[in-house]
Every structure is written in C-alpha cells, then in structure tokens.
C-alpha cells in the first residue's frame, strides 16, 4: 500500500487484502480506512500495536482496544485518554500486562 495511490489506499477491499499479507499495512491505509472499525479490528487482531494507527474515535472504542490488548498486552498505551481514565479498562490493562504495565 505504501506506493499505491490515495484511491487504492482508500479502498476497503484492497486494504483488507493487504492486511492478509502484512499486518502493518494499516500504516499506509487512508485516514478513512484507519477510521473503519472492520479494518482496524483486523489490523489489531494481527498486531495489537497497530492500535497506534487507528483513528481517535477507534482508540476510544472499548472493543477495539480490548482486541488490541488480546493480541499485545502493551497496546493499551495507544488507547484514547478517555479509556485510560476508565477504571475498568485500566484494571483490565493491568491484568493483561502485569509487571509490564506502565
């Protein structure tokens, strides 16, 4: 996707296919695709640290952040501030990350 045109990077079918081949393809997806819950859920299910590239609204989506933490316990650091202020989410992150929680 890195060298593809904007139109291609904005095509959900292409982005989903790219994610099948490379978990980091979301980095090069358009902002619209980084705000698409299906695309971001697939990206974080392959590498939880892909939460970093999700839109702010999806970084605030509990289901997206939990999926990211299921894949990589340290991905909570990319969650939206609203979830970092949510006691239940912080407790879940602590349980997942253990001594690695920072």
């Amino acid at each position: 996707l890195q060298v593809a045109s904007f139109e291609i990077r904005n095509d959900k079918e292409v982005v989903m296919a790219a994610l099948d081949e490379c978990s980091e393809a979301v980095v090069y997806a358009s902002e619209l695709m980084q705000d698409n819950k299906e695309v971001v859920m697939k990206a974080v299910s392959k590498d939880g640290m892909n939460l970093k590239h999700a839109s702010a609204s999806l970084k605030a989506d509990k289901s997206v952040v939990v999926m990211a933490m299921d894949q990589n316990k340290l991905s909570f650091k990319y969650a939206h501030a609203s979830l970092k202020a949510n006691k239940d989410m912080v407790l879940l992150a602590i349980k997942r990350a253990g001594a690695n929680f920072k």
Side-chain angles (χ1 to χ4, degrees):
L1 280 180
Q2 183 176 8
V3 297
S5 69
F6 174 77
E7 290 78 21
I8 295 296
R9 291 183 287 119
N10 201 40
D11 184 295
K12 182 178 174 184
E13 180 182 1
V14 172
V15 173
M16 295 293 271
L19 284 169
D20 285 336
E21 300 302 320
C22 176
S23 66
E24 296 176 358
V26 71
V27 172
Y28 305 107
S30 70
E31 287 183 16
L32 183 64
M33 290 296 99
Q34 292 175 346
D35 191 43
N36 180 291
K37 187 170 182 176
E38 186 179 355
V39 168
V40 171
M41 288 291 272
K42 185 170 188 171
V44 300
S45 72
K46 292 180 164 288
D47 182 349
M49 299 306 262
N50 279 329
L51 184 60
K52 176 181 181 179
H53 306 292
S55 67
S57 65
L58 291 178
K59 288 178 181 177
D61 184 304
K62 287 181 184 180
S63 63
V64 171
V65 174
V66 169
M67 173 74 76
M69 288 192 301
D70 284 345
Q71 201 292 319
N72 187 315
K73 59 189 174 188
L74 302 179
S75 61
F76 187 68
K77 69 181 177 180
Y78 297 116
H80 190 273
S82 64
L83 292 184
K84 292 177 180 177
N86 178 301
K87 180 179 178 179
D88 293 333
M89 288 299 293
V90 171
L91 288 172
L92 180 61
I94 291 169
K95 285 181 186 177
R96 301 274 169 99
N100 293 313
F101 184 80
K102 297 180 181 183

